[in-house]
Amino acid sequence: MPKPAMQPRPRPSSLVSQFAREVAAGLTKPGQKELPSKYLYDSVGSALFEVICELPEYGLTRSEERLLQLHAREIVDQLPRPVVVAELGSGTGRKTRLLLEALSRWQSTWYHPIEISPSALAVLRRELRDINSISIVGFEREYLDGLREVAVRRSPGEHLLVLFLGSNIGNFDGAAGSDFLRDLRLILQPGDLLLIGTDMLKPVQTLISAYDDPIGVTAAFNLNLLARINRELGADFNLQRFEHLAIFNEVTHSVEMRLRSRVRQKVAVSEASISVQFEKEETIWTESSHKYSQDELVSLAHHSGFRRQAQWMDQNWGFAENLWIAE
Ligand code: AVJ
Protein backbone atom coordinates (compact mmCIF):
# COMPACT_ATOMS: atom_id res chain seq x y z
CA MET A 1 0.00 0.00 0.00
CA PRO A 2 1.41 3.41 -0.89
CA LYS A 3 2.30 5.70 1.98
CA PRO A 4 -0.44 8.24 2.71
CA ALA A 5 0.63 11.44 1.03
CA MET A 6 -0.57 14.97 1.02
CA GLN A 7 -0.73 17.54 -1.71
CA PRO A 8 1.25 20.72 -1.09
CA ARG A 9 -0.87 23.37 0.50
CA PRO A 10 -0.99 27.09 -0.23
CA ARG A 11 1.63 29.09 1.70
CA PRO A 12 0.48 30.06 5.21
CA SER A 13 0.93 33.76 4.44
CA SER A 14 -1.74 33.61 1.74
CA LEU A 15 -4.06 31.77 4.12
CA VAL A 16 -3.61 34.38 6.83
CA SER A 17 -4.37 37.22 4.48
CA GLN A 18 -7.46 35.48 3.15
CA PHE A 19 -8.62 34.99 6.75
CA ALA A 20 -7.93 38.68 7.44
CA ARG A 21 -9.80 39.76 4.32
CA GLU A 22 -12.87 37.66 5.13
CA VAL A 23 -12.93 38.83 8.75
CA ALA A 24 -12.69 42.47 7.62
CA ALA A 25 -15.46 42.01 5.05
CA GLY A 26 -17.78 40.27 7.53
CA LEU A 27 -17.30 42.68 10.42
CA THR A 28 -17.62 45.83 8.34
CA LYS A 29 -20.65 44.62 6.42
CA PRO A 30 -23.53 47.13 6.66
CA GLY A 31 -26.43 45.72 8.71
CA GLN A 32 -25.88 42.22 10.13
CA LYS A 33 -22.23 41.54 10.93
CA GLU A 34 -21.03 38.04 10.11
CA LEU A 35 -18.04 35.70 10.16
CA PRO A 36 -17.62 32.63 7.91
CA SER A 37 -18.40 29.43 9.82
CA LYS A 38 -15.50 27.56 8.23
CA TYR A 39 -13.15 29.47 10.54
CA LEU A 40 -14.72 27.84 13.61
CA TYR A 41 -12.52 24.80 12.94
CA ASP A 42 -8.99 25.55 14.02
CA SER A 43 -7.40 22.91 16.26
CA VAL A 44 -9.28 24.17 19.34
CA GLY A 45 -12.56 24.46 17.44
CA SER A 46 -12.19 20.99 15.91
CA ALA A 47 -11.51 19.51 19.35
CA LEU A 48 -14.56 21.30 20.80
CA PHE A 49 -16.70 20.05 17.94
CA GLU A 50 -15.65 16.50 18.84
CA VAL A 51 -16.94 17.14 22.35
CA ILE A 52 -20.20 18.57 20.97
CA CYS A 53 -20.72 15.27 19.15
CA GLU A 54 -20.62 13.47 22.52
CA LEU A 55 -23.24 15.72 24.14
CA PRO A 56 -26.58 14.05 24.84
CA GLU A 57 -28.36 17.13 23.45
CA TYR A 58 -26.56 16.96 20.08
CA GLY A 59 -27.97 13.81 18.51
CA LEU A 60 -26.94 14.56 14.94
CA THR A 61 -23.59 12.78 14.72
CA ARG A 62 -24.65 9.68 16.65
CA SER A 63 -27.73 9.46 14.48
CA GLU A 64 -25.69 9.42 11.29
CA GLU A 65 -23.25 6.96 12.78
CA ARG A 66 -26.13 4.59 13.61
CA LEU A 67 -27.34 4.85 10.03
CA LEU A 68 -23.93 3.98 8.64
CA GLN A 69 -23.46 1.18 11.15
CA LEU A 70 -26.74 -0.35 10.06
CA HIS A 71 -26.56 0.29 6.32
CA ALA A 72 -22.95 0.64 5.14
CA ARG A 73 -23.06 -2.68 3.27
CA GLU A 74 -26.34 -1.81 1.63
CA ILE A 75 -25.02 1.60 0.59
CA VAL A 76 -21.88 0.10 -0.88
CA ASP A 77 -23.98 -2.48 -2.74
CA GLN A 78 -25.60 0.39 -4.66
CA LEU A 79 -22.30 1.74 -6.00
CA PRO A 80 -20.79 1.19 -9.43
CA ARG A 81 -17.23 -0.15 -9.32
CA PRO A 82 -14.45 0.80 -9.50
CA VAL A 83 -15.17 3.89 -7.48
CA VAL A 84 -12.88 6.59 -6.14
CA VAL A 85 -14.03 8.22 -2.91
CA ALA A 86 -13.73 11.94 -2.18
CA GLU A 87 -14.97 13.41 1.07
CA LEU A 88 -15.84 17.05 1.73
CA GLY A 89 -15.01 18.11 5.29
CA SER A 90 -13.87 14.79 6.57
CA GLY A 91 -13.92 15.27 10.35
CA THR A 92 -12.32 12.45 12.31
CA GLY A 93 -13.26 9.61 9.99
CA ARG A 94 -15.28 7.52 12.41
CA LYS A 95 -18.28 7.51 10.11
CA THR A 96 -16.17 7.29 6.98
CA ARG A 97 -14.44 4.19 8.34
CA LEU A 98 -17.73 2.31 8.27
CA LEU A 99 -18.14 3.01 4.55
CA LEU A 100 -14.51 2.46 3.59
CA GLU A 101 -14.40 -0.87 5.41
CA ALA A 102 -17.50 -2.04 3.59
CA LEU A 103 -16.08 -0.86 0.28
CA SER A 104 -12.66 -2.40 0.79
CA ARG A 105 -14.26 -5.85 0.89
CA TRP A 106 -14.83 -5.37 -2.84
CA GLN A 107 -12.01 -3.25 -4.18
CA SER A 108 -8.89 -1.39 -3.24
CA THR A 109 -9.91 2.21 -2.84
CA TRP A 110 -8.44 5.65 -3.30
CA TYR A 111 -9.77 7.91 -0.61
CA HIS A 112 -9.37 11.70 -0.89
CA PRO A 113 -10.42 13.72 2.15
CA ILE A 114 -10.80 17.42 1.37
CA GLU A 115 -10.54 19.52 4.48
CA ILE A 116 -9.26 22.99 5.34
CA SER A 117 -8.30 22.06 8.88
CA PRO A 118 -4.80 20.51 8.85
CA SER A 119 -5.29 19.11 12.35
CA ALA A 120 -8.51 17.34 11.32
CA LEU A 121 -6.73 15.87 8.27
CA ALA A 122 -3.90 14.60 10.45
CA VAL A 123 -6.28 12.96 12.93
CA LEU A 124 -8.17 11.38 10.08
CA ARG A 125 -5.11 9.85 8.47
CA ARG A 126 -4.03 8.33 11.76
CA GLU A 127 -7.55 7.03 12.35
CA LEU A 128 -8.00 5.32 8.97
CA ARG A 129 -4.45 4.13 8.36
CA ASP A 130 -5.15 0.53 9.30
CA ILE A 131 -8.00 -0.18 6.87
CA ASN A 132 -6.96 -2.76 4.31
CA SER A 133 -6.49 -1.73 0.70
CA ILE A 134 -7.16 1.96 1.22
CA SER A 135 -4.84 4.64 -0.18
CA ILE A 136 -5.31 8.04 1.40
CA VAL A 137 -4.36 11.25 -0.37
CA GLY A 138 -5.71 14.31 1.39
CA PHE A 139 -6.20 17.82 0.05
CA GLU A 140 -5.97 20.79 2.37
CA ARG A 141 -8.26 22.88 0.20
CA GLU A 142 -11.69 24.43 -0.03
CA TYR A 143 -14.32 21.82 -0.97
CA LEU A 144 -14.76 22.44 -4.68
CA ASP A 145 -11.11 23.24 -5.38
CA GLY A 146 -10.17 19.94 -3.77
CA LEU A 147 -12.87 18.08 -5.65
CA ARG A 148 -11.64 19.48 -8.97
CA GLU A 149 -8.20 18.11 -8.15
CA VAL A 150 -9.66 14.68 -7.49
CA ALA A 151 -11.80 14.77 -10.64
CA VAL A 152 -8.90 15.58 -12.97
CA ARG A 153 -6.80 12.80 -11.48
CA ARG A 154 -9.24 9.97 -12.00
CA SER A 155 -8.68 7.31 -14.65
CA PRO A 156 -11.14 6.56 -17.44
CA GLY A 157 -13.83 4.13 -16.28
CA GLU A 158 -13.52 5.12 -12.63
CA HIS A 159 -16.63 6.49 -10.97
CA LEU A 160 -16.53 9.10 -8.28
CA LEU A 161 -18.37 8.88 -4.97
CA VAL A 162 -18.50 12.17 -3.09
CA LEU A 163 -19.22 11.94 0.62
CA PHE A 164 -20.76 15.02 2.17
CA LEU A 165 -21.74 13.81 5.62
CA GLY A 166 -22.79 15.38 8.91
CA SER A 167 -25.34 17.76 7.37
CA ASN A 168 -22.43 20.04 6.52
CA ILE A 169 -24.53 21.15 3.54
CA GLY A 170 -26.77 22.86 6.09
CA ASN A 171 -24.07 25.46 6.76
CA PHE A 172 -24.82 27.12 3.43
CA ASP A 173 -27.61 29.59 4.06
CA GLY A 174 -30.50 30.18 1.71
CA ALA A 175 -29.89 29.59 -1.99
CA ALA A 176 -26.18 29.05 -1.37
CA GLY A 177 -26.78 25.35 -0.58
CA SER A 178 -28.42 24.59 -3.87
CA ASP A 179 -25.93 26.79 -5.75
CA PHE A 180 -23.12 24.85 -4.12
CA LEU A 181 -24.63 21.50 -5.09
CA ARG A 182 -25.07 22.68 -8.66
CA ASP A 183 -21.41 23.73 -8.80
CA LEU A 184 -20.44 20.39 -7.30
CA ARG A 185 -22.53 18.57 -9.91
CA LEU A 186 -20.68 20.41 -12.70
CA ILE A 187 -17.41 18.85 -11.55
CA LEU A 188 -18.94 15.35 -11.78
CA GLN A 189 -19.84 13.14 -14.71
CA PRO A 190 -23.21 11.50 -15.23
CA GLY A 191 -23.38 8.36 -13.10
CA ASP A 192 -21.11 9.72 -10.37
CA LEU A 193 -22.62 9.65 -6.91
CA LEU A 194 -23.15 11.89 -3.94
CA LEU A 195 -23.84 10.51 -0.47
CA ILE A 196 -25.20 13.45 1.46
CA GLY A 197 -26.26 13.53 5.12
CA THR A 198 -29.08 15.90 6.07
CA ASP A 199 -30.42 16.78 9.50
CA MET A 200 -34.20 16.90 9.35
CA LEU A 201 -36.64 19.46 10.78
CA LYS A 202 -37.58 18.69 14.37
CA PRO A 203 -39.18 20.49 17.32
CA VAL A 204 -37.59 23.86 17.99
CA GLN A 205 -36.79 23.08 21.62
CA THR A 206 -34.80 19.99 20.57
CA LEU A 207 -32.86 22.11 18.09
CA ILE A 208 -32.14 24.91 20.53
CA SER A 209 -30.84 22.49 23.18
CA ALA A 210 -28.59 20.91 20.55
CA TYR A 211 -26.98 24.27 19.76
CA ASP A 212 -27.07 25.82 23.23
CA ASP A 213 -26.10 22.98 25.52
CA PRO A 214 -26.32 23.38 29.31
CA ILE A 215 -22.60 22.95 30.01
CA GLY A 216 -21.56 25.53 27.45
CA VAL A 217 -19.45 23.51 25.03
CA THR A 218 -21.18 25.02 22.02
CA ALA A 219 -20.77 28.48 23.57
CA ALA A 220 -17.03 27.82 23.86
CA PHE A 221 -16.95 26.51 20.28
CA ASN A 222 -18.58 29.73 19.06
CA LEU A 223 -16.53 32.11 21.25
CA ASN A 224 -13.34 30.39 20.14
CA LEU A 225 -13.81 32.09 16.79
CA LEU A 226 -13.16 35.44 18.48
CA ALA A 227 -10.26 33.95 20.44
CA ARG A 228 -8.84 32.67 17.16
CA ILE A 229 -9.11 36.12 15.61
CA ASN A 230 -7.25 37.47 18.65
CA ARG A 231 -4.54 34.80 18.28
CA GLU A 232 -4.07 34.90 14.54
CA LEU A 233 -5.01 38.41 13.55
CA GLY A 234 -3.94 40.36 16.62
CA ALA A 235 -7.45 41.47 17.56
CA ASP A 236 -8.48 42.65 21.03
CA PHE A 237 -11.86 40.96 21.50
CA ASN A 238 -12.65 40.70 25.20
CA LEU A 239 -14.52 37.37 25.30
CA GLN A 240 -16.29 38.32 28.52
CA ARG A 241 -18.09 41.01 26.60
CA PHE A 242 -19.72 38.60 24.13
CA GLU A 243 -22.23 35.82 24.66
CA HIS A 244 -23.28 32.77 22.66
CA LEU A 245 -26.78 32.68 21.20
CA ALA A 246 -28.66 29.98 19.29
CA ILE A 247 -31.94 30.89 17.62
CA PHE A 248 -34.21 29.04 15.22
CA ASN A 249 -35.13 31.06 12.15
CA GLU A 250 -38.67 29.93 11.30
CA VAL A 251 -38.48 31.49 7.84
CA THR A 252 -35.27 29.86 6.64
CA HIS A 253 -35.58 26.71 8.81
CA SER A 254 -32.07 27.21 10.14
CA VAL A 255 -30.54 27.27 13.57
CA GLU A 256 -28.39 30.39 13.69
CA MET A 257 -25.46 30.74 16.04
CA ARG A 258 -24.59 34.28 16.93
CA LEU A 259 -22.26 36.13 19.26
CA ARG A 260 -23.97 39.03 21.01
CA SER A 261 -22.15 42.03 22.33
CA ARG A 262 -23.09 42.54 25.99
CA VAL A 263 -22.10 46.22 25.86
CA ARG A 264 -21.42 49.05 23.45
CA GLN A 265 -17.76 48.62 22.54
CA LYS A 266 -15.05 49.01 19.97
CA VAL A 267 -12.76 46.17 18.82
CA ALA A 268 -9.59 46.46 16.73
CA VAL A 269 -8.36 43.70 14.42
CA SER A 270 -4.80 44.71 13.73
CA GLU A 271 -3.91 42.34 10.86
CA ALA A 272 -7.13 43.24 9.09
CA SER A 273 -6.50 46.96 9.67
CA ILE A 274 -10.00 47.57 10.98
CA SER A 275 -11.67 48.88 14.08
CA VAL A 276 -15.26 47.80 14.60
CA GLN A 277 -18.00 49.47 16.63
CA PHE A 278 -20.53 47.18 18.36
CA GLU A 279 -23.78 48.47 19.78
CA LYS A 280 -25.07 46.85 23.00
CA GLU A 281 -26.88 43.61 22.00
CA GLU A 282 -25.62 43.77 18.41
CA THR A 283 -24.82 40.31 17.06
CA ILE A 284 -22.29 38.65 14.77
CA TRP A 285 -23.84 35.82 12.80
CA THR A 286 -21.33 32.95 12.86
CA GLU A 287 -23.14 29.86 11.55
CA SER A 288 -26.39 28.61 10.03
CA SER A 289 -27.45 24.97 10.30
CA HIS A 290 -30.30 24.35 7.95
CA LYS A 291 -32.88 21.66 8.80
CA TYR A 292 -34.51 19.81 5.92
CA SER A 293 -37.94 18.49 5.03
CA GLN A 294 -38.47 15.53 2.73
CA ASP A 295 -40.08 17.74 0.05
CA GLU A 296 -37.15 20.08 0.15
CA LEU A 297 -34.69 17.23 -0.44
CA VAL A 298 -36.67 16.14 -3.49
CA SER A 299 -36.50 19.59 -5.07
CA LEU A 300 -32.90 20.17 -3.97
CA ALA A 301 -31.73 17.01 -5.76
CA HIS A 302 -33.72 17.89 -8.84
CA HIS A 303 -32.57 21.50 -9.06
CA SER A 304 -28.93 20.60 -8.65
CA GLY A 305 -28.87 17.96 -11.39
CA PHE A 306 -29.14 14.75 -9.37
CA ARG A 307 -31.62 11.88 -9.23
CA ARG A 308 -32.38 10.40 -5.83
CA GLN A 309 -31.32 6.79 -5.80
CA ALA A 310 -31.86 5.77 -2.19
CA GLN A 311 -32.39 7.16 1.28
CA TRP A 312 -31.81 5.79 4.77
CA MET A 313 -33.63 7.57 7.59
CA ASP A 314 -33.01 7.52 11.34
CA GLN A 315 -36.40 8.32 12.84
CA ASN A 316 -34.98 8.32 16.34
CA TRP A 317 -33.27 11.71 15.96
CA GLY A 318 -34.41 12.72 12.49
CA PHE A 319 -31.49 12.38 10.12
CA ALA A 320 -31.31 11.16 6.52
CA GLU A 321 -28.47 9.67 4.50
CA ASN A 322 -29.23 10.34 0.83
CA LEU A 323 -27.63 8.66 -2.17
CA TRP A 324 -27.96 10.82 -5.29
CA ILE A 325 -26.74 10.03 -8.76
CA ALA A 326 -25.53 12.72 -11.19
CA GLU A 327 -27.78 12.95 -14.25
C1 AVJ B 1 -20.65 20.21 11.61
C2 AVJ B 1 -21.78 21.97 10.56
C3 AVJ B 1 -22.88 19.92 10.92
O1 AVJ B 1 -24.19 22.65 12.05
O2 AVJ B 1 -24.67 21.04 13.41
C4 AVJ B 1 -22.44 21.98 15.90
C5 AVJ B 1 -21.59 22.35 13.48
N1 AVJ B 1 -22.31 24.00 15.22
N2 AVJ B 1 -22.85 22.78 16.88
C6 AVJ B 1 -23.88 21.69 12.78
C7 AVJ B 1 -22.11 22.75 14.84
C8 AVJ B 1 -22.75 24.01 16.48
C9 AVJ B 1 -22.41 21.29 12.84
N3 AVJ B 1 -21.93 20.86 11.50
Side-chain angles (χ1 to χ4, degrees), residues 51-103:
V51 180
I52 289 173
C53 293
E54 301 294 328
L55 297 172
E57 293 81 11
Y58 190 79
L60 192 156
T61 312
R62 283 185 302 278
S63 171
E64 186 172 44
E65 204 169 323
R66 272 197 299 278
L67 279 173
L68 294 177
Q69 244 143 19
L70 286 169
H71 304 297
R73 303 253 321 244
E74 213 182 311
I75 294 169
V76 160
D77 280 344
Q78 304 251 353
L79 304 176
R81 285 189 281 269
V83 68
V84 174
V85 180
E87 178 162 29
L88 310 181
S90 44
T92 64
R94 262 176 53 177
K95 292 174 291 184
T96 312
R97 160 182 290 277
L98 297 163
L99 288 165
L100 292 180
E101 280 179 343
L103 195 55

Side-chain angles (χ1 to χ4, degrees), residues 203-213 246-248 255:
V204 172
Q205 205 36 61
T206 311
L207 288 171
I208 296 300
S209 311
Y211 290 85
D212 192 6
D213 63 271
I247 57 174
F248 184 68
V255 178

Side-chain angles (χ1 to χ4, degrees), residues 93-157:
R94 262 176 53 177
K95 292 174 291 184
T96 312
R97 160 182 290 277
L98 297 163
L99 288 165
L100 292 180
E101 280 179 343
L103 195 55
S104 70
R105 302 163 64 95
W106 294 104
Q107 61 161 58
S108 57
T109 303
W110 284 95
Y111 169 60
H112 302 288
I114 300 162
E115 164 73 65
I116 57 163
S117 157
S119 53
L121 261 187
V123 168
L124 175 82
R125 277 128 59 75
R126 230 179 301 131
E127 171 74 16
L128 299 177
R129 194 159 44 191
D130 64 293
I131 304 177
N132 283 326
S133 50
I134 292 288
S135 309
I136 307 177
V137 176
F139 292 88
E140 194 183 317
R141 306 288 286 274
E142 303 267 341
Y143 292 154
L144 295 185
D145 292 339
L147 191 58
R148 273 183 211 102
E149 296 274 345
V150 172
V152 299
R153 278 169 166 76
R154 74 158 124 182
S155 318

